Structure formats: C-alpha cells, structure tokens
Amino acid sequence: MAEKERLSRETMAFRVAKEFQDGMVVNLGIGIPTLCVNYPSPDKEILYHTENGALNFGPIATPEDGDLDLVNAGGQLVTTKPGMSLFSHDESFAMIRGGHIDLCVLGAMQVSEKGDLANWLLPERGIGSIGGGMDLAIGAKRLIVVMEHTTKDGQPKILRKCNYELTAPECVDMIVTDLAVIDVAKEGLVLKELAPGWTAAEVQGLTEPRLIVSSDVKEVEIM
Amino acid sequence: MAINKVVASFDEAVKDIFDGATILIGGFGTPGGSPSYLIEALSRQGAKDLTIVGNTVGIGKELMQVVASFMSVPEWWYDGGQLAANRQVRKGIAAFPVSASPLLVSPFEKQLRAGEVEIEIVPQGTLAERIRAAKAGIGAFYCPIGPGTMVEKGKETKVIDGKKHVLEYAIKADFGLIRAYKADRLGNLIYRGTSRTFNATMAGAAKVTIVEVDEVVDAGELDPERIATPALYIDRIVVRPDEGRAQIKQKISKEEQLQT
C-alpha cells in the first residue's frame, strides 16, 4: 500500500507561522524553522532575532547582493531593514536567557511526552554541536518544535522518554509535524490537528506515548 | 608620547604567542567576522598545544567552501580549522565544534575521533557569558542553562527563584584574536553588521587582545556614540592588506548603515 501523503516542509512552516502574533520577537532555528519567515500574514509586524547579533533583519539576500558581514544564525546572507539593530554575542544571549524572546522555533531529533527536547547529538556520531539550542529552549517564553513525525526508517520521534542526549528538559510547548499538531500540556500530549487524510489512530500508531485526542480535533489548514 | 597600538605586520602581532597558550578566536563561524590574517600568521608562527576558544573551532578552508556553497569564500579567509589542520591545537572550547552534517568532517573532528585532541562543548550563550565574565572580572556565575543535561555533569548547582542553576567559571585566556571594521590608533573599534558577534564579546577578555581591521583612522574620526569597543580593551592593531578589504569596499556605499 502506498504511504499516505504527509505535510510538506512549507506547509509545516505555514502552520507554525500561524502562531506568530503581531509585535512578537521570534527566533528561528536552522532548517524548517527558517522557512516560517515566509508565512506570517503581512498585517503582522514580527521582529526576528538571530543569535549572532541582529534584531529585525531583512529577508535572505541573493548571492550577488549579499554581504559577508550580514548573516543569520544558519549562515545565510540576509539583508538590512529599517529598524534593524546589531549587537554583540553576550548581549544577544542576555536577550535569550533573560526572557526577552517571545517565541522560538527549533527542529528536533526527539521530543518526550513531558516536552523534553533532544536536538543536537546523534549517538552514532559521538560528537555534536550544541550551538544556541540549550539557551533558546530554556530562555524563550514559548518553544515550538517542528519536525518530521518519524525517523527515516519510520520509527517514532515522539517518545515516552528521549534516549538521545537532552537539549533541555520540559521545555517544548507545541509540536508541529508532517502528520499532526500536538500541544504539550500538563495532562499529557494533546492531539489538536491532523494532516488531511490521517486519522488519530494512525498518528497514535506512529507515536510512542499515548495521545489525548482533543474534543475539537480538526484538519491542519493547507496553504 | 602619542599612543599608537598599530603594529606593522600580522607576523609581529602574533610573535609572542607561546606553546600551550589559550586563545580566544572571534567570529561566528561564517566567512565574515573571522580574524583571518591573524590566524594565518599564527599558523606560520607555529605555536603548538594551543587551547582555542570560539563559537566554532573552525572547519578549515576546504570544508567551508562546501558548507558555504551559496557564497564564494574569499581567498584570504581562514578560521581556526587552519590551526587544527596544522596540528597546533590540543583542545577546543566551543558551542559548535563540528559541522551540522556528519558527512562533513573537519580536520579537528578527525583528530578528535583519533583521540588526538580534546573538546569542551559549551552552550553558546554560556560560552559568551564565560568570556564576558573574564573581561568583567567575575570569577564564576550561576547560569540556568544546562540543568538536566550533560552540561550539568560535575558542576556545582544551586536553586535560585525555584530554578536550578549551574556554576559556570570565567574562561581565562592569554590572547584574543578578533576582527573589526575600523580602529583608531588608541584602539577604539567599530564593527560591521553581524561581524560584531563574538569579536566584541572577546575584546578585552584575554590578557592581550589583538585586532585586525580594514582601516585605521585618525582619533576623532570614529563617532564616540558609535564606538562599540572602547580603546582600553585593545592592545595591538593590525591592518588588512587591500585584497582582504576589496569585497567589503564595494558594499560600503549602499550599506553604510552596517557600520556600527
């Protein structure tokens, strides 16, 4: 039987961006999170923060237009924007650690039912790069994880307990995957939205901990 | 006599770096912001058993061209990977010691796998603050990042406002190699764009801070309101040759606002 269609990376980013509220300070991790910048509705003014020392920077630059002295945390060349500010690394992490970032979006290798996050160390490599993930996971007021629901060989990435090294314990507030939108609540993982064509039972089958199906569970909106 | 911290060459600027020294290396890990010429000079100078401290430990020129496929990495560009490739590094202290992909293996990672070098992995903000603490004369501080992870291992902890914190010590270094845009002879600095990053954090954090700049201007030419690093943090200034500035120069007209 052919595998059912899952949400594209762009649709996942689109769904995450619906959480961005007008006036928020948002930090986007590397990978799918970076795509979110394309989707908040234009009537919202979002201030994007990057760890390497800029707030309210502009869109990705073209290679011809880019400037080696203006990059985001993913190393992409970005552009200037009216109202941009620049600062040192210690200042940038004072912003993060001090609770001045409203929302952070990160990728993940594993998330536990308590909202523990593992996103930096592949055991088979033996060494990884923590980067700013630990600081962001603890420091941001709200943390959304966006990731594929399962590993490349179909194993669940949402687990009772992470078996990879943790980035931070009990830090994830919401999980957006290519199959579902899940809230990390006190009572457990609450299944709020499903990818079109998928049932709660099917998603549960690819998730290790028990999911609490929300009484108003609905379909993820497609772009 | 008028103060003048400008030294004539990169070789002269790094000549007293000794075997076993701990060295802060500025920049973020991307081609902008790296003290390339100072690193190149240190690789010529040859000091060994170095501990290098930075956001990355450097991945080297070859790998950077693969990672940064979307831009052309300048000829003159170097990062700490050059020192690892040259077998001058004994230990790295970094937030981002290896590339994001396991398929892209740097000289440092190869040596790490062979057990020839050591690594201390530090969360990026904790790294910045441990460096800042050294500059600010603080011995150690309690930090909320790391509890419940391997970062906590072996560290003293304390619960403050109901939240567990770990005790993090200042990183004391012998030399700091940083990159800025312009200096005056006193050592006042301005940076460009996100190249301020760890460069401004590290300025003044080591016993000796050496800065490489595009240009030295007369005292008074830098607007005091815009000086990001005051003169007293800087010990030596070296000016890049033209080739290392050309790329930046073409941008200046439309990007004046990047001067910070």
Side-chain angles (χ1 to χ4, degrees), chain B residues 179-201:
Chain B
R179 155 98 174 113
Y181 175 42
K182 288 183 185 178
D184 61 22
R185 62 177 171 80
L186 303 169
N188 289 306
L189 304 180
I190 62 167
Y191 302 87
R192 269 189 99 243
T194 48
S195 290
R196 193 189 294 206
T197 172
F198 268 102
N199 289 308
T201 298

Side-chain angles (χ1 to χ4, degrees), chain B residues 200-219:
Chain B
T201 298
M202 288 173 173
K207 284 180 201 151
V208 177
T209 299
I210 310 170
V211 61
E212 95 179 44
V213 296
D214 281 6
E215 199 180 343
V216 174
V217 298
D218 289 339

Side-chain angles (χ1 to χ4, degrees), chain B residues 141-177:
Chain B
F141 57 94
Y142 280 105
C143 182
I145 311 303
T149 75
M150 67 187 273
V151 168
E152 181 186 340
K153 239 175 256 168
K155 289 177 185 157
E156 289 176 46
T157 63
K158 191 181 180 84
V159 175
I160 301 171
D161 290 338
K163 224 158 64 172
K164 197 173 187 185
H165 288 59
V166 295
L167 187 64
E168 295 284 2
Y169 285 85
I171 294 175
K172 293 192 174 155
D174 301 298
F175 296 91
L177 308 183

